[in-house]
Amino acid sequence: MMKCGGGFACVAALLLVTSAAAAGDAPKVLVIGMDGLDPVMLQEYRDQGLLPNFDRFIAGGAQFQPLGTTIPPQSPVAWSTFSTGLDPGGHGIFDFIHRDPRTMLPYLSTSSAQAPGSTLKLFSWQIPRGGGVVENLRQGTAFWQLLDEAGHDVTVFKVPGNFPPVATDARTLAGMGTPDILGTYGIFSYVTDDPAVSRDIDGGRVIPVRAVGGTITTALPGPLNAYRVGEPETAVPLELVVDRENRTVLVRVQDQEFLLAEDEWSDWADLSFPLVPVFKSVAGICRFYLLEVSPHLRLYVTPVQIHPEKPEMPISTPPGYSRELARDLGLFYTQGLPEDSKALEEGVLSDRQYVSQADQVLQERLRQFHYELDRFAGLDSGFLFFYFNAPDQTCHVLWRCFDEDSPGHAAADPAVRHRVRDLYVALDGALGRALDRVGDDAVVMVVSDHGFAPFHRSMHVNAWLREHGYLKLKEGVEPGTTELLAGIDWNRTRAYAIGINGLYLNLRGREKSGIVNPGREQEDLLRELVAGLEAAVDSTGGGRPVRHAYRADEVYAETWRERGPDIILGYERGWRGSNESALGEVPAGIYADNLMKWSGDHCMAADVVPGTVISSRPFVLPAPTLEDLAPTILGLFGLEAPPQMTGRNLYRQEGGR
């Protein structure tokens, strides 16, 4: 049944549906999203005879070609373009990190959460007068909303940038951007009795413990209690019975027990964090991984996930979809980026142990894929998008394992040298399952948002700006002591960087303390910065790090352009903006070797890391881009793309949308 509010829009929608019906039966369309699937690497593995199902697909008539990505080629930016058919200026997502020019404070770009506006205080309790608000910051209309409005059966599984899920009756599950129960991108817990372990780790929390008679009593932290004055942290009791002789630990949490040997994972623990006795609690789930018993206990605990059966924040449409998945397949990771690269980077997980955790995520995702394929195969028509994040995360942190030129290669575990290759083989198997299951009448596409490249050298953009006189620090502030844009003298600063690829002018009337006048002064500064950045040379590492310094007013639609950076840095292969500049820091030096385990990347120039598209129905138009896919998918169902979508229908000759 078509859903419509009446009026001209309803008539127009009905005409679109009628035209689709007139063109024949509605199709079946399957789009498999493989984040970071690189066209060059894909071809190399095909040449080695490792990908028989990709070979079968292409030999059967599917068209394989590079896919133009976004500026910059960041996943939340690129998948937002895929979803809306708009460039970043149209959908308003420019980076992982944006900044508020009124406060000069950074914020995460894809979603925001606001606490209740006021509370009623009663002794030690405070009662919110209204619920908090979680908002998806992406602008534009997602193509699946239009498919759903036209009456088609639609499932969109974990597309990035869809938290909270946009309003629709389609079956959607939120993907990248979905937080853990604490509201973060994922904070793990590390329980240990090793006194040498520092409590200062990034992306995790160390819980120091001491055994008494072989038993450890501690607590697992949970969300803040907004119902208590001061909003104290909640927790659930955690008991560990350590058997060092047999190298096992019995984990007791609430009413559940897990007996773990070393290198063994628990099943999901179902947790309940109390807020108001009897009346209110927050549900979450986590898994335990026993790393070591002796000489020191080392227990890893995943970030506590939003419970898919009892979600505290919206993670699916309709709300029952996440419950359906949990009921039929068991509890699962709901966090947007479930592979714990932070635990790897901090040395809590080794390369091999990280692969163990990533394997669990992959196997869980494959079960979910098979489940959705079985449902899709039973439909006469409909649309299914299914997302795999594994190529992206694996290439990010394990690139150094096979890249002998990587600064971190010598320290990498040779046992996981071929993990990226093996992952491509696993995804080849997933494609083969799909081809066998959906039938020859379905249109099948494999799509990646960008490719991949080595990340050998970093550029500290704010340090470059300081070196060339565009950024000034306050009196007495030394380079290397600043963070989150603090310590900058805004009365003398003309440009600054925050985010992985973004550079901003300190523009009068826009920034809180802007000094650059709009108009001629702004134009002259933009030209000067573009020329200087593209000519920058790293005399120690060799070469020019910046391939393109894109001007936003030349590459973005105007709609939301003012929210984003003025210049987007597109780096050469092997280079990337540093984490320090991404967080608004001003280091002392400009260039540095990348010694992190995060050794592969794609936040470079768009022409360095194109994505991949393989379509069973060859496109009519050349040079496909991510911006084209939403109009193209709508066209398969006989629907015209709305005028705000700037992409092309790749199945239609030039001259028509």
Side-chain angles (χ1 to χ4, degrees):
M1 178 66 69
M2 180 175 173
K3 300 171 287 296
C4 190
F8 175 78
C10 186
V11 173
L14 285 169
L15 288 173
L16 289 175
V17 175
T18 303
S19 67
D25 294 336
K28 294 178 71 172
V29 179
L30 168 64
V31 178
I32 308 172
M34 297 184 180
D35 200 308
L37 192 79
D38 184 80
V40 174
M41 297 175 72
L42 182 67
Q43 186 59 52
E44 288 178 353
Y45 292 139
R46 288 184 63 211
D47 292 343
Q48 295 172 29
L50 298 173
L51 307 179
N53 292 300
F54 278 101
D55 289 344
R56 168 166 64 114
F57 189 33
I58 295 166
Q63 184 184 55
F64 167 35
Q65 56 191 316
L67 181 67
T69 186
T70 49
I71 299 171
Q74 295 187 27
S75 293
V77 182
W79 287 112
S80 292
T81 288
F82 166 80
S83 298
T84 63
L86 303 171
D87 74 22
H91 57 62
I93 306 298
F94 303 94
D95 201 293
F96 277 98
I97 299 173
H98 289 183
R99 61 79 179 96
D100 184 344
R102 298 166 298 180
T103 64
M104 302 308 295
L105 293 174
Y107 64 92
L108 297 175
S109 63
T110 55
S111 63
S112 68
Q114 296 181 357
S118 63
T119 60
L120 175 65
K121 293 187 178 180
L122 296 171
F123 305 107
S124 63
W125 297 94
Q126 57 184 21
I127 311 302
R129 293 183 183 270
V133 176
V134 183
E135 180 183 6
N136 190 318
L137 299 180
R138 188 189 68 226
Q139 306 298 314
T141 302
F143 69 82
W144 60 85
Q145 292 176 289
L146 301 174
L147 291 177
D148 173 54
E149 286 294 327
H152 297 288
D153 187 288
V154 177
T155 298
V156 175
F157 194 97
K158 281 189 171 284
V159 68
N162 195 41
F163 173 82
V166 294
T168 179
D169 288 340
R171 300 164 80 246
T172 72
L173 186 68
M176 185 187 300
T178 305
D180 62 7
I181 202 66
L182 304 179
T184 76
Y185 274 179
I187 294 180
F188 65 89
S189 294
Y190 180 34
V191 183
T192 182
D193 60 5
D194 185 353
V197 172
S198 168
R199 298 190 64 176
D200 182 21
I201 59 175
D202 185 22
R205 182 184 319 220
V206 174
I207 302 177
V209 295
R210 187 164 64 93
V212 177
T215 298
I216 292 170
T217 301
T218 184
L220 194 62
L224 301 181
N225 189 348
Y227 291 88
R228 283 283 191 184
V229 172
E231 299 191 356
E233 189 175 71
T234 60
V236 296
L238 177 65
E239 184 179 86
L240 309 174
V241 180
V242 182
D243 184 343
R244 299 193 190 273
E245 182 179 352
N246 292 303
R247 307 189 76 85
T248 63
V249 170
L250 178 65
V251 178
R252 291 179 175 143
V253 57
Q254 295 188 315
D255 60 349
Q256 299 147 97
E257 290 188 350
F258 307 98
L259 180 62
L260 302 179
E262 289 180 327
D263 280 331
E264 187 174 4
W265 284 89
S266 75
D267 200 351
W268 286 105
D270 196 327
L271 309 177
S272 179
F273 296 90
L275 300 181
V276 181
V278 180
F279 294 106
K280 177 64 178 175
S281 62
V282 172
I285 59 173
C286 71
R287 300 182 79 166
F288 300 90
Y289 182 31
L290 183 57
L291 304 170
E292 186 179 60
V293 174
S294 181
H296 297 290
L297 171 70
R298 297 174 58 241
L299 179 71
Y300 165 83
V301 189
T302 66
V304 180
Q305 312 283 301
I306 296 174
H307 199 303
E309 292 181 312
K310 297 166 277 189
E312 188 66 20
M313 289 177 269
I315 60 170
S316 72
T317 61
Y321 179 40
S322 64
R323 293 194 291 271
E324 171 199 326
L325 291 168
R327 179 198 67 210
D328 293 349
L329 298 173
L331 299 174
F332 58 90
Y333 284 95
T334 55
Q335 180 189 336
L337 288 173
E339 287 94 338
D340 202 338
S341 59
K342 285 294 185 183
L344 172 65
E345 197 72 63
E346 292 294 321
V348 173
L349 298 180
S350 67
D351 289 346
R352 180 182 53 80
Q353 290 163 341
Y354 170 82
V355 168
S356 172
Q357 195 255 339
D359 257 337
Q360 290 205 356
V361 177
L362 177 61
Q363 294 308 314
E364 175 185 279
R365 192 65 54 89
L366 288 170
R367 289 193 298 273
Q368 293 164 335
F369 185 46
H370 298 162
Y371 176 85
E372 291 299 345
L373 280 178
D374 288 345
R375 180 184 181 277
F376 184 70
L379 301 175
D380 293 327
S381 67
F383 176 81
L384 170 60
F385 171 86
F386 195 95
Y387 172 78
F388 290 94
N389 66 291
D392 180 84
Q393 291 299 104
T394 302
C395 283
H396 272 310
V397 297
L398 297 182
W399 189 280
R400 63 198 157 81
C401 297
F402 66 83
D403 178 5
E404 296 181 2
D405 294 326
S406 172
H409 178 70
D413 186 345
V416 296
R417 176 185 180 91
H418 298 299
R419 173 63 180 180
V420 173
R421 180 200 67 186
D422 295 344
L423 182 59
Y424 272 69
V425 171
L427 293 176
D428 179 78
L431 174 62
R433 174 70 175 257
L435 296 177
D436 293 339
R437 196 73 184 91
V438 303
D440 295 335
D441 59 332
V443 177
V444 179
M445 294 184 199
V446 175
V447 172
S448 71
D449 52 336
H450 52 69
F452 248 88
F455 174 18
H456 293 165
R457 293 279 285 172
S458 296
M459 181 176 183
H460 301 308
V461 184
N462 280 322
W464 185 92
L465 291 170
R466 176 180 171 273
E467 178 75 17
H468 291 79
Y470 298 108
L471 182 148
K472 302 287 186 180
L473 295 176
K474 292 178 180 178
E475 193 71 27
V477 175
E478 295 295 324
T481 64
T482 65
E483 59 183 12
L484 301 179
L485 299 177
I488 293 176
D489 185 346
W490 296 109
N491 293 321
R492 298 189 298 146
T493 290
R494 293 187 290 159
Y496 61 98
I498 194 163
I500 299 174
N501 295 86
L503 187 150
Y504 298 80
L505 304 188
N506 189 23
L507 194 63
R508 190 182 304 277
R510 185 184 67 182
E511 266 73 4
K512 179 182 179 181
S513 303
I515 65 170
V516 177
N517 292 313
R520 180 62 182 272
E521 185 179 348
Q522 174 186 13
E523 176 65 23
D524 289 347
L525 181 56
L526 283 170
R527 289 180 179 176
E528 187 178 316
L529 285 166
V530 167
L533 286 161
E534 291 183 346
V537 176
D538 172 17
S539 58
T540 57
R544 294 183 175 180
V546 179
R547 183 181 180 92
H548 303 297
Y550 307 96
R551 287 180 51 157
D553 59 359
E554 294 177 353
V555 296
Y556 289 161
E558 189 175 0
T559 315
W560 298 102
R561 189 171 66 210
E562 192 66 14
R563 291 185 176 183
D566 299 294
I567 294 174
I568 306 93
L569 297 176
Y571 294 95
E572 289 284 3
R573 183 178 176 87
W575 285 86
R576 206 201 75 175
S578 70
N579 285 352
E580 290 85 351
S581 280
L583 294 174
E585 298 178 21
V586 188
I590 299 176
Y591 307 111
D593 276 343
N594 173 29
L595 299 176
M596 299 185 300
K597 293 174 182 176
W598 192 278
S599 50
D601 216 283
H602 46 81
C603 299
M604 299 162 185
D607 55 353
V608 169
V609 283
T612 299
V613 62
I614 312 174
S615 176
S616 63
R617 181 181 296 181
F619 301 138
V620 172
L621 299 182
T625 71
L626 277 167
E627 205 169 327
D628 298 326
L629 294 184
T632 300
I633 292 167
L634 291 173
L636 286 169
F637 288 87
L639 299 176
E640 293 289 343
Q644 63 268 27
M645 282 190 180
T646 50
R648 307 165 295 164
N649 181 344
L650 295 169
Y651 295 122
R652 183 174 296 179
Q653 292 286 357
E654 294 284 8
R657 286 292 306 275

